[in-house]
Amino acid sequence: AFDYEGYNAQKELPLVSLSCTPDGLRFSQLAKACGAEVMQYFDKQVGESRGFPQKDMIVNLMMNIGQSLGPSDCFVFFYGGHGMGSMNADDDGDEEDGQDEELCFVDPDGHYNPMKDDDIADLLINYFNPETQILFVTDCCQSGTVCDLSREEFGDRPIAHMAAVKDSQYATDLGDGGAFTTSLLETIEDMVEEGDADFSIVHVYNKCFQKYDADGQFEDQTFS
């Protein structure tokens, strides 16, 4: 999770400060409660952070993890921070709008080093077992297709991506976390309290969207 505070995060781009750390901490708590092995990285010293989430390190870590998983395993990736349409032209012609999407990773010195949708898709296709269940959760702007799951190479792999918004939209930061992650975690908590312990991603998505659509505060934000 990135808050973009306390270091030169705005060195190359005007990445305004966010409140994604609470989201990362809460999501980690949920994963631990489910018995998962959790690795968490924040751009500030907090909780059980394993260090700064530099993109190259995260990518290498995901490659190693992916190669170690099999058909009975599940991999969950959560990202909280900025997301945007790439400032560079789509170089492989796979985008209808001519623009790649990217997760806004920065290095500790402020160097902008994004994780692009093509990179994510290549990583999932080439380093993960085709039968490993994968869930990506991205709470950031312009992130609806940041995994490029429409690529033919994915076939019928068991991969799902839950995004805060579509590629053309901007996510809402509430000051103590993002609207999407807050809605998602509160929805899961409500469902468990109601005795619903076996639910699908579609079921969670529908309940999650309904929770924040009820009062009309997020008319310009469509969970994806």
Side-chain angles (χ1 to χ4, degrees), residues 85-155:
S86 176
M87 293 180 292
N88 300 316
D90 173 26
D91 57 7
D92 58 4
D94 67 339
E95 300 288 340
E96 291 185 4
D97 59 2
Q99 189 177 44
D100 286 314
E101 288 71 46
E102 58 193 36
L103 305 180
C104 300
F105 280 72
V106 293
D107 294 335
D109 64 358
H111 172 63
Y112 184 61
N113 190 16
M115 186 183 292
K116 294 188 176 183
D117 51 6
D118 293 336
D119 299 330
I120 294 172
D122 289 342
L123 192 158
L124 296 178
I125 292 169
N126 296 319
Y127 290 92
F128 282 78
N129 187 299
E131 296 182 62
T132 296
Q133 298 181 65
I134 300 173
L135 171 63
F136 255 67
V137 180
T138 55
D139 195 346
C140 59
C141 297
Q142 300 179 291
S143 58
T145 64
V146 79
C147 293
D148 271 356
L149 295 184
S150 62
R151 283 174 51 168
E152 292 183 2
E153 297 98 312
F154 281 113

Side-chain angles (χ1 to χ4, degrees), residues 68-89:
S68 72
L69 301 179
S72 62
D73 294 313
C74 179
F75 175 80
V76 179
F77 178 88
F78 173 84
Y79 172 85
H82 281 295
M84 63 182 289
S86 176
M87 293 180 292
N88 300 316

Side-chain angles (χ1 to χ4, degrees), residues 25 33 200 206:
L25 291 172
S200 68
N206 289 337

Side-chain angles (χ1 to χ4, degrees), residues 39 41 52-68 75 77 105 113 115 119-120 123-124 127-128:
M39 300 178 183
Y41 296 84
F52 195 96
Q54 289 184 264
K55 189 202 81 171
D56 294 344
M57 180 271 295
I58 294 295
V59 168
N60 286 331
L61 180 62
M62 291 173 65
M63 288 178 177
N64 291 331
I65 292 175
Q67 292 174 319
S68 72
F75 175 80
F77 178 88
F105 280 72
N113 190 16
M115 186 183 292
D119 299 330
I120 294 172
L123 192 158
L124 296 178
Y127 290 92
F128 282 78

Side-chain angles (χ1 to χ4, degrees), residues 180-194:
F180 174 62
T181 301
T182 299
S183 173
L184 176 63
L185 297 182
E186 289 182 357
T187 296
I188 293 174
E189 182 179 350
D190 291 345
M191 294 173 72
V192 171
E193 288 180 351
E194 293 168 2

